[in-house]
Amino acid sequence: MVLALVRELNRRADPRRLRHDVEFLADRPRSRTRAPEAMLRAEAHVMRELAAAGWRTERQPFDVRWRLGGTDRQNDRAIALQLRLHTRLTGANLVARLPGADDRPTVVVGAHLDTVDGSPGADDNASGVAALLEIARLLGGLPRPPAVTLLFFDMEELGMIGSRFAAQQLRRTGQVAGMICLESVGYFATGPGTQLVPAGFAAAFPRVAARVRSGGQRGDFTLVVHRRSTEAAAAAWRRAAEAAEPRLSAVTLRDPRPHGLLGALAGLAAPPLIHLDRSDHASFWNVGIPALMLTGTANFRNPHYHRPTDTPDTLDYGRMAAVAVATAATAASAASWRGLS
């Protein structure tokens, strides 16, 4: 079913739409605390595009106090390495569903809307938002509304604040089959030596490190980070990516940790693992919801990460369209999510 859907979606995906979305979003930094007008402008664009694609969107505000998180100042370090206690944060996520979708357990597909200070954030993370909008267009055109929920997160750069709120809310419903996170999915590099790995990575994940070395350490693939609970979904995404146009290379990486607090603590204790928690999927892992992350590995490939030079002209929109097709097909296929717990 997934491959048949990929063939159908290949005909409708349009890289020009992704470029338009990225160029609109990434003409300035976006932050609830540092650039609130830009965030409202970005929200309005997202809601217009979702409405045009037939989705109903709800703005879900949140007001949280005394939350441990990170900082969105311009830098190239992992959030978990720069902890900060936030006394109060007020923001909002955008949640979209198709009219007519039934009460089947839903698959959440999400991306964060904000940037760090001083960066227009084309790859981090207008690329993820643009892919999510293209997924909305692709799924909105299907004859039967799939059981998919789209989430545009606020305050990822402050320590996944918006997704932590959303994951807790969704856990209470008991109707989430799994989650796919789109994080910095637009930058690809075909030159040898363009893909770096964190310190200690080869010892922790020898198979993946060998795969990267065998490809000349080229940053021409999408990394699919998953746990045991989303192994089937990760495999389905890889097959879908290989059938997309253009064909997209994928490398799957299984995080060995369990869901919940124990897994989060293990990440703090083991440096190579901490990098696997660096986006909104980790919020879902931490409340026991199966999740996977799709990423171009951010600062381990993209020299513009968290910098003013993270601009729309640096991205590969053909491959981004392939990411959207593979993700839409995987999210819409119930078979990809069987056996999740």
Side-chain angles (χ1 to χ4, degrees):
M1 176 182 173
V2 173
L3 296 184
L5 185 53
V6 168
R7 288 191 290 271
E8 177 185 345
L9 299 182
N10 278 335
R11 294 191 291 269
R12 295 200 284 113
D14 189 346
R16 293 171 298 181
R17 292 192 298 239
L18 289 122
R19 178 184 284 273
H20 170 74
D21 290 327
V22 170
E23 288 178 344
F24 183 93
L25 294 167
D27 73 334
R28 65 195 73 182
R30 307 173 297 283
S31 168
R32 194 72 63 188
T33 56
R34 298 180 186 272
E37 292 184 1
M39 277 296 287
L40 291 174
R41 174 179 178 270
E43 281 186 6
H45 176 76
V46 167
M47 295 179 78
R48 282 194 304 268
E49 294 300 316
L50 290 171
W55 293 72
R56 292 177 179 168
T57 308
E58 176 187 358
R59 190 175 188 269
Q60 293 189 340
F62 58 84
D63 187 341
V64 297
R65 299 169 186 267
W66 302 107
R67 295 297 173 95
L68 192 63
T71 174
D72 63 352
R73 70 179 184 272
Q74 190 182 125
N75 59 77
D76 59 1
R77 301 181 67 200
I79 282 175
L81 301 179
Q82 46 190 345
L83 294 177
R84 175 183 172 183
L85 181 64
H86 300 285
T87 56
R88 183 177 184 181
L89 291 171
T90 303
N93 298 320
L94 302 179
V95 184
R97 298 180 177 89
L98 282 168
D102 57 29
D103 294 330
R104 292 168 291 164
T106 189
V107 173
V108 174
V109 189
H112 72 87
L113 196 53
D114 59 318
T115 72
V116 295
D117 183 36
S119 175
D123 190 34
D124 185 18
N125 187 39
S127 65
V129 172
L132 194 50
L133 289 174
E134 187 67 1
I135 289 165
R137 300 175 188 116
L138 296 174
L139 295 183
L142 296 181
R144 183 190 180 196
V148 174
T149 298
L150 307 181
L151 257 166
F152 298 80
F153 300 115
D154 198 357
M155 298 187 183
E156 188 268 356
E157 300 291 0
L158 292 178
M160 289 82 77
I161 302 298
S163 61
R164 284 155 66 180
F165 175 82
Q168 291 164 358
Q169 297 293 310
L170 287 166
R171 181 186 60 176
R172 296 189 184 104
T173 71
Q175 289 294 305
V176 182
M179 186 267 183
I180 302 175
C181 174
L182 296 157
E183 173 60 55
S184 302
V185 295
Y187 187 88
F188 294 84
T190 57
T194 51
Q195 182 64 57
L196 307 177
V197 297
F201 183 86
F205 303 103
R207 181 191 62 82
V208 178
R211 163 68 175 78
V212 173
R213 286 196 302 270
S214 70
Q217 290 191 259
R218 290 176 169 83
D220 58 357
F221 60 88
T222 296
L223 183 67
V224 185
V225 179
H226 66 95
R227 286 184 175 172
R228 180 180 179 181
S229 60
T230 42
E231 193 157 12
W237 194 92
R238 185 184 67 248
R239 291 192 298 270
E242 291 171 350
E245 296 175 3
R247 180 183 181 276
L248 189 62
S249 178
V251 175
T252 57
L253 186 158
R254 177 174 165 178
D255 185 329
R257 294 172 293 167
H259 293 324
L261 180 60
L262 183 60
L265 292 176
L268 293 174
L273 296 178
I274 202 171
H275 295 287
L276 306 184
D277 288 338
R278 286 176 54 187
S279 195
D280 295 302
H281 64 292
S283 298
F284 289 78
W285 280 349
N286 292 342
V287 299
I289 296 175
L292 57 84
M293 172 177 63
L294 311 174
T295 182
T297 74
N299 54 303
F300 295 106
R301 177 187 304 174
N302 190 343
H304 309 290
Y305 173 76
H306 281 191
R307 299 184 185 279
T309 52
D310 185 9
T311 53
D313 58 295
T314 63
L315 304 189
D316 185 326
Y317 295 96
R319 283 190 172 105
M320 282 174 58
V323 169
V325 165
T327 306
T330 304
S333 173
S336 302
W337 301 89
R338 285 176 185 158
L340 297 186
S341 59

